[in-house]
Amino acid sequence: MAEMTDRRRRAVVVVLFGVAGLLILGAWTGRRERRRSGGLLVAAQLLDHPMVFAVAVGATLTAALLLAVRGAILRSLILVAGVFGTLVVTLAAGLFGSPGGQETLRAGAPDRPDRHLVVEEGAAMIDPLWWVYVDEGSGLTTRRWHVGLVNGDHYALRAAEWDGPDRVRLTVDTGERDEVHVVELSPSDGRPQRMVDRG
C-alpha cells in the first residue's frame, strides 16, 4: 500500500510540473502575442497576465516540491522559499508587466467593418503614454497592429483618426507645434507601412 502511495505521489508531482510548464508556455505565448505587431488579440487578452501566471506557477511548483520531499524541515524550507519566491516574481511581474492602459478610442474604419482604430492611454511612472493600434479581422482571428507610441514626457497625442479605409492620421503636439503623421495601411491585412514613435 505504501508503494502505491509513493507511485501516486510521483504521478501527482509529474502532473504538477507539467501544469507549471503549460502555465509558463501560456504566459510566454500571451506576452509574445501582445508585444509583436500583428499578434493575435484574443491570445494576448487571455494569456498576457503576468501577475496571475506568476502566482499560479509559484503555487504549482511549490506544491510539486512539497510532495516530492519527505523531511519536515526540508518541506518547511521549501514552503518558505516558495512563498517568498512567488511574492518576488509576482511583484516583478507587476512592475515590469504588460504595457497598455485604458482604452480611450475605438473607431471603425470607413467602409471597413473589420478594421478598428484603437487608442489606449496609460502612464510610465508619471508621464502619460498613448498606444495606437489597428485591430484587423473579427473574433478569434483579430490581429492587433502597432501604429504608434507617444510618450507624454516630451509629446502629447492630440488626435487619432481615420483618413480613409487604409490610412490613419495622428496629430502629435511637440510643445511648439502640432505634427501630423499619416500612416498607410496594407489594404489586404491592415499592416502599417511604418510606426510613429514619439518617445
Side-chain angles (χ1 to χ4, degrees):
M1 196 68 173
E3 182 182 337
M4 184 63 107
T5 303
D6 288 344
R7 187 178 301 165
R8 284 183 182 163
R9 181 184 292 119
R10 283 194 298 270
V12 170
V13 168
V14 169
V15 168
L16 287 173
F17 277 118
V19 168
L22 288 174
L23 289 169
I24 291 168
L25 179 62
W28 176 82
T29 301
R31 173 53 57 95
R32 184 185 66 135
E33 293 303 303
R34 171 89 61 196
R35 287 190 168 182
R36 75 182 182 103
S37 189
L40 289 170
L41 182 59
V42 170
Q45 289 175 335
L46 288 177
L47 299 174
D48 191 26
H49 300 284
M51 291 180 72
V52 172
F53 276 94
V55 171
V57 169
T60 304
L61 289 177
T62 301
L65 291 172
L66 287 172
L67 283 172
V69 299
R70 291 187 181 266
I73 294 174
L74 191 52
R75 282 186 173 179
S76 299
L77 290 174
I78 288 171
L79 183 60
V80 170
V83 169
F84 179 74
T86 300
L87 284 174
V88 169
V89 172
T90 303
L91 288 173
L95 289 174
F96 305 106
S98 302
Q102 184 79 25
E103 187 176 296
T104 56
L105 173 73
R106 174 171 286 274
D111 304 320
R112 290 295 303 259
D114 61 333
R115 190 174 284 178
H116 291 85
L117 177 63
V118 178
V119 175
E120 290 185 357
E121 192 170 340
M125 302 300 266
I126 59 170
D127 298 319
L129 295 172
W130 293 268
W131 293 270
V132 183
Y133 307 105
V134 168
D135 290 352
E136 172 82 20
S138 62
L140 296 176
T141 61
T142 302
R143 295 197 172 273
R144 173 160 281 184
W145 297 100
H146 299 222
V147 174
L149 170 63
V150 179
N151 187 336
D153 187 29
H154 302 102
Y155 306 97
L157 180 66
R158 292 290 177 229
E161 55 200 346
W162 289 104
D163 190 31
D166 302 319
R167 289 162 55 110
V168 172
R169 183 171 58 235
L170 304 179
T171 305
V172 177
D173 180 0
T174 67
E176 298 174 2
R177 60 184 169 78
D178 284 350
E179 290 180 352
V180 176
H181 302 273
V182 177
V183 179
E184 300 278 348
L185 306 177
S186 165
S188 61
D189 64 8
R191 181 193 309 262
Q193 303 307 309
R194 67 182 176 88
M195 182 177 162
V196 175
D197 187 359
R198 283 288 175 258

